[in-house]
Amino acid sequence: MKERRNTQRKQAVINAVKQVKIPFTAEQLFHIARRLVPGVSRSTVYRTICILRDEGCIKEVCLPHGKRIFAHTDADVLCVMECEDCGRFTTFPAAELSDQLAIVARETHLSPVHTSVY
């Protein structure tokens, strides 16, 4: 595995991820990291997000139109609802959706590993 430099700016992005308790976009993370270290660039945020995702520290949800939302890997199943008009999104507990998916899985004799609902 390639040794990576841990710069002050990259560490600011990592610290921002640790601070955020709810799912986030890269843009939201950029603004948080920038408050920690003013010189953080968007490219540093995107590169660090990719590293954290590849290392399994965060997970990524890709919405149909390309927006990407990130969350800690210890988060419950990530359910996201987005407004098509304004682009705002919210997340919600997966318990109710999980119950319905379990019924469908039982009836179809499938064991879903990943599901997406649009």
Side-chain angles (χ1 to χ4, degrees):
M1 180 179 279
K2 180 182 173 186
E3 184 70 25
R4 290 180 169 56
R5 286 186 328 145
N6 195 15
T7 65
Q8 181 184 18
R9 292 175 179 164
K10 187 190 324 183
Q11 189 60 50
V13 176
I14 293 168
N15 291 341
V17 168
K18 290 177 182 177
Q19 285 183 10
V20 178
K21 302 300 180 203
I22 59 173
F24 54 90
T25 64
E27 188 67 17
Q28 290 169 328
L29 190 63
F30 167 70
H31 290 294
I32 295 166
R34 228 166 143 135
R35 283 195 297 267
L36 297 173
V37 175
V40 172
S41 67
R42 280 183 175 84
S43 62
T44 298
V45 170
Y46 282 100
R47 281 194 310 271
T48 306
I49 283 174
C50 289
I51 291 167
L52 293 173
R53 182 201 58 214
D54 294 347
E55 291 177 350
C57 299
I58 59 175
K59 58 185 169 183
E60 176 180 22
V61 173
C62 299
L63 299 179
H65 54 70
K67 182 183 260 182
R68 297 175 186 278
I69 298 172
F70 303 91
H72 296 272
T73 52
D74 61 355
D76 191 10
V77 175
L78 185 57
C79 296
V80 179
M81 186 179 299
E82 181 185 28
C83 176
E84 288 181 342
D85 294 331
C86 70
R88 288 187 327 189
F89 71 92
T90 187
T91 59
F92 56 93
E96 295 165 19
L97 185 57
S98 294
D99 292 344
Q100 294 301 314
L101 290 173
I103 292 168
V104 172
R106 230 182 358 263
E107 291 175 357
T108 59
H109 305 287
L110 296 174
S111 298
V113 174
H114 176 82
T115 57
S116 297
V117 180
Y118 302 111

